[in-house]
Amino acid sequence: MSLLDPTLWSGKAGISGWTVPAGGTAPVLEPATGEVLDVIGLATAEDVATAAERAARAQSSWARAPYIERAAVLRRAGDLFTEHAAEIQRWLIREAGCIPGKAAFETSVAAQECYEAAALVSHPLGEILPSAEPRLSLARRVPAGVVGVIAPFNAPLILGIRSVAPALALGNTVLLKPDVRTAVSGGVVIKRVFQEAGLPEDALHLLPGGADTGAALVVAPQVRVISFTGSTAAGRRVGAAAAENLKRAHLELGGNSALIVLPDADLEKAASTAAWGSFFHQGQICMTTGRHLVHASVADEYVARLAEKAEHLPVGNPDKEEVALGPIIDAAQRDKIHALVTASVDSGARLAAGGTYEELFYRPTVLADVTDAAPAYTEEVFGPVAPVRSFTDVEEAIALATAGPYGLSLGILTGDGLRGLELAERIPTGIVHINDQTVNDEAVAPFGGVAASGTGARFGGTSNIEAFTETRWITARSTQAAYPF
């Protein structure tokens, strides 16, 4: 039996084992062809309540399991991602529209997230505190309880496992709600891996569904921490609902990341770097390079080189052809992209490359001479669009990079790396890459944005300890304390 044998999960949700939920089913679609690959069960608010109760009952025993047992489950999960990589990658290619290289990256990162999570369980989880009283005083990190994870479609495996794995390792149980458009590669895969790894059934529940399912998960009284990755608009609603219910919410949201190209940058390498930053996975990445800020002295040459790259990138079905870009996730997202491009051209931007599509295949697009009037420059496009704007000096570059509500990732291309670091110090953002583009990810690195891009660096490495535990103050005396009354 394969890891993802549909006879196990078709039409079901992962509540305890595999059960038929109350919300009916949704088709699992291949965006490149429109083919129905299978069906997935949709969880209702009642299903969420059932899963939350089961997870809460299971949490204390899972947290009490010896840390070496929890680590062993996480290590086995990492091994399974590697062992079944080809099968998992095929689902990522067909369901999420990934090119093979991106699918391979997702399975590799998923395995590494599990290995890094396994190492968390043996990290120091407390400290001895000074006390004016005759007692031992310490602060200890304890599991938060039940963690709710809401993950998007664009990197479905990575953006689910990066919260599921550390939350489980640290003694929590988890409710996972993937985007229904990628419920297999972002949900079924994770549930099946942990089943095979030996995780107790009620420690992880899979709840595919839409906004109503996510809303029920956020307000479920048993859920104490929410990990949400998605749009800024949806994140605001999640954050508000969590705050109303006095829960912590870790929000990793949208971005419109800038790439600053200084006049001493190598332009041939810059064009390649920039093309990757804007066109990787059809631009459907929160860290996508959405604003190319280029010194006026090299802007025309930069545009010409980037447009040439765009014109020669093949677009098509990644399951059947060797392509650089696959399909946009659905027609609604494609139409949003095209509306932003069209409105930008109407406002005066010059279409240097692309701007056309066939079905869900959108050509990599370069817009030159953009201003603040161009919606594709000021808004998050979430598509393969590279708007280029020039600047005349460093102060203007800083002002342009700082403008706007987002603060996720920043790239700076320069012949002087130290100068790039000095420049980055003046631009508020959660992530900075000197002499690289804006799309990077590693399991050991703290990840997150500021301002409208989220609530800070919460995911990755030891940052996960803060994200998925609570701090408890504990004191102990050798004899009972005496009081005057």
Side-chain angles (χ1 to χ4, degrees), residues 430-469:
I431 302 165
V432 176
H433 300 295
I434 307 301
N435 282 326
D436 203 351
Q437 45 77 38
T438 55
V439 182
N440 282 278
D441 194 13
E442 290 189 59
V444 298
F447 186 98
V450 298
S453 290
T455 52
R458 298 288 186 175
F459 305 118
T462 56
S463 296
N464 287 315
I465 296 175
E466 179 183 354
F468 301 115
T469 64

Side-chain angles (χ1 to χ4, degrees), residues 329-389:
I329 191 65
D330 59 24
Q333 180 60 24
R334 178 206 61 201
D335 291 346
K336 175 195 170 188
I337 295 165
H338 195 59
L340 290 171
V341 169
T342 301
S344 297
V345 172
D346 290 344
S347 72
R350 175 170 62 88
L351 188 63
T356 61
Y357 64 87
E358 293 181 12
E359 298 179 337
L360 296 184
F361 302 105
Y362 205 95
R363 290 293 312 170
T365 298
V366 178
L367 295 172
D369 306 326
V370 299
T371 67
D372 286 342
Y377 172 78
T378 57
E379 299 180 29
E380 181 182 31
V381 178
F382 226 64
V385 180
V388 183
R389 179 167 180 171

Side-chain angles (χ1 to χ4, degrees), residues 310-321:
E311 293 287 6
H312 288 88
L313 290 175
V315 181
N317 182 350
D319 189 47
K320 303 298 183 184
E321 310 168 66

Side-chain angles (χ1 to χ4, degrees), residues 240-320:
E244 186 175 351
N245 287 272
L246 302 179
K247 302 180 183 187
R248 281 192 294 147
H250 304 307
L251 308 175
E252 200 275 284
L253 309 176
N256 191 11
S257 298
L259 179 69
I260 299 176
V261 183
L262 296 177
D264 59 351
D266 181 318
L267 289 188
E268 179 57 32
K269 290 182 179 178
S272 176
T273 298
W276 185 269
S278 282
F279 306 143
F280 177 64
H281 195 49
Q282 300 79 262
Q284 298 174 126
I285 301 288
C286 60
M287 299 170 283
T288 289
T289 302
R291 294 177 294 158
H292 297 244
L293 307 178
V294 186
H295 192 273
S297 64
V298 296
D300 289 344
E301 183 179 354
Y302 178 88
V303 168
R305 289 176 180 267
L306 182 57
E308 183 180 11
K309 296 279 185 185
E311 293 287 6
H312 288 88
L313 290 175
V315 181
N317 182 350
D319 189 47
K320 303 298 183 184

Side-chain angles (χ1 to χ4, degrees), residues 15 43-53 175 207 212-214 216-218 220:
I15 303 170
T44 64
E46 291 75 17
D47 294 315
V48 172
T50 298
E53 290 174 4
L175 307 184
L207 301 161
D212 291 347
T213 306
L217 187 154
V218 171

